[in-house]
Amino acid sequence: MGETRTIRFAPDDSGRFLTGGLKQVAELWDVTTGSKLQTFRGHTGTVIASSWSRDSRTIATASYDKTARVWDVATGKTIGDPMLHLADPSHLEISLDGKRLATVARDGTARLWDPGTSAAVSPLLRQGQSCTTVRFSADGSVFFVHDHDGFRFWDTATALPVTIHYPEPVGVER
């Protein structure tokens, strides 16, 4: 597997999991047999993040080659063109309803994409310092972006902020 930077289990309970890392590929494995089932080739940098669609038919990967990609799991082929970023992406997630893909990058930006076409469906969203995490709400109406200074919630339909940029909570020592 090489040095692994991302590992995600398929949501369909099939016993498959996806890895990515320094080898610049994502690989699909069977947890029971340990055999490799599929290799997803196309990135030219470390694969840093991955996400599954809820139906386990597609995956998305983000790489230090300044791209994110959506893949058909059965064929290993990309869906649409690479999703270009101005800086290295750091995280991504496909919404539970499969209608949106959110990516965040080290330049403090986020963006929404259509995972069926890999087309951008929002402008570049300015978040703050280097973004580290993105997550969708269960109903997909809101997504959360965390950066080195704090976090914000965004409306998925309008790509507008729902909240202010909250500072990172600081623990209180007693």
Side-chain angles (χ1 to χ4, degrees):
M1 281 193 245
E3 187 175 331
T4 301
R5 297 295 173 100
T6 181
I7 182 169
R8 299 290 294 266
F9 284 91
D12 64 3
D13 294 326
S14 62
R16 297 176 299 166
F17 66 99
L18 180 68
T19 63
L22 297 182
K23 290 175 25 178
Q24 303 176 355
V25 297
E27 295 174 314
L28 183 64
W29 301 86
D30 181 284
V31 76
T32 305
T33 65
S35 23
K36 189 182 336 175
L37 305 172
Q38 182 73 266
T39 301
F40 303 91
R41 299 181 192 285
H43 286 297
T44 59
T46 298
V47 175
I48 192 67
S50 59
S51 181
W52 286 87
S53 63
R54 190 174 195 171
D55 65 8
S56 300
R57 292 182 183 180
T58 57
I59 59 164
T61 56
S63 170
Y64 285 161
D65 64 5
K66 295 186 174 71
T67 69
R69 296 170 187 258
V70 178
W71 308 85
D72 180 288
V73 172
T75 66
K77 296 186 184 305
T78 57
I79 298 171
D81 293 327
M83 296 167 278
L84 302 177
H85 293 71
L86 299 175
D88 290 331
S90 52
H91 199 249
L92 68 124
E93 183 165 278
I94 300 172
S95 63
L96 288 176
D97 65 8
K99 294 181 181 177
R100 290 292 174 257
L101 168 70
T103 60
V104 295
R106 291 180 165 201
D107 63 355
T109 61
R111 182 166 262 171
L112 291 172
W113 309 84
D114 178 340
T117 64
S118 295
V121 295
S122 79
L124 215 49
L125 307 174
R126 275 269 155 227
Q127 168 74 17
Q129 294 298 318
S130 184
C131 295
T132 59
T133 306
V134 62
R135 295 279 188 235
F136 282 97
S137 62
D139 68 0
S141 65
V142 174
F143 64 102
F144 163 89
V145 177
H146 180 268
D147 62 53
H148 286 294
D149 289 335
F151 60 94
R152 175 180 287 145
F153 291 89
W154 297 81
D155 183 283
T156 303
T158 65
L160 294 173
V162 174
T163 64
I164 63 169
H165 185 265
Y166 292 105
E168 185 70 33
V170 178
V172 178
E173 290 188 32
R174 295 183 185 204

